[in-house]
Amino acid sequence: MELHEAIGQALKKAFADKVIEDTPADTGKLKKNWRWYTDGKIWILENEEGEKVLYLEFGTGIYGRRKKSITPKKARALHWIDRETGKDIFAKWVRGIEPRMFIRRNIYSTKNRKEFYKLLDEYVGEMLDKNM
């Protein structure tokens, strides 16, 4: 195992796996679309549903960046189908969704950082042992 790979594996176990595990799962699609890879220089955690991830992480409406309720732009009402009842719902405005902070919570977690350094020591130690 090279140093770059050792760092990547430690990052994956300490942070990326936990972000994926904590991803809100309504249908499960968001959770399944995470990818962990390297371009040879940096490690990347990416999700095909990027915009949805941002909405969940940072919130929308009164809880988001603009701090305003969500209103229709062209129609007279917002419309969606309730997943539990299957009924059509109409509203002139909605508050939005509160931030879930599932990414930031894991990045800033002291426990996860400690685990990263422990794993990195373990992987680098194994690497050094093999080369000696």
Side-chain angles (χ1 to χ4, degrees):
M1 181 182 314
E2 292 181 20
L3 182 59
H4 181 71
E5 189 179 327
I7 292 169
Q9 289 303 313
L11 283 169
K12 182 178 186 309
K13 284 187 178 177
F15 298 106
D17 287 351
K18 289 178 177 54
V19 167
I20 294 166
E21 184 181 311
D22 288 352
T23 299
D26 191 12
T27 63
K29 184 178 178 185
L30 192 66
K31 207 172 228 183
K32 291 175 190 167
N33 280 325
W34 286 107
R35 276 189 26 194
W36 176 250
Y37 65 95
T38 183
D39 67 357
K41 294 180 182 178
I42 62 172
W43 286 92
I44 300 161
L45 179 62
E46 178 179 75
N47 195 303
E48 292 175 15
E49 304 283 325
E51 195 170 304
K52 191 173 183 180
V53 169
L54 289 175
Y55 293 150
L56 287 168
E57 179 68 13
F58 294 101
T60 62
I62 64 172
Y63 309 106
R65 201 169 46 92
R66 294 190 180 117
K67 307 284 185 222
K68 292 183 177 180
S69 58
I70 299 169
T71 57
K73 292 189 190 249
K74 295 179 182 175
R76 286 189 274 169
L78 299 168
H79 172 253
W80 66 93
I81 297 172
D82 187 288
R83 287 191 180 157
E84 291 177 13
T85 64
K87 291 183 179 179
D88 286 306
I89 306 291
F90 295 92
K92 290 194 180 274
W93 62 274
V94 293
R95 287 184 184 90
I97 60 168
E98 293 184 38
R100 304 288 176 86
M101 296 192 288
F102 60 100
I103 297 172
R104 289 175 285 175
R105 182 175 50 248
N106 281 293
I107 290 172
Y108 297 131
S109 163
T110 302
K111 180 182 171 193
N112 291 356
R113 267 186 268 146
K114 286 179 181 175
E115 183 178 351
F116 167 71
Y117 290 121
K118 181 181 151 225
L119 289 165
L120 188 60
D121 284 347
E122 182 183 314
Y123 295 150
V124 171
E126 287 174 11
M127 196 173 69
L128 293 172
D129 289 345
K130 287 180 184 177
N131 292 330
M132 293 187 153

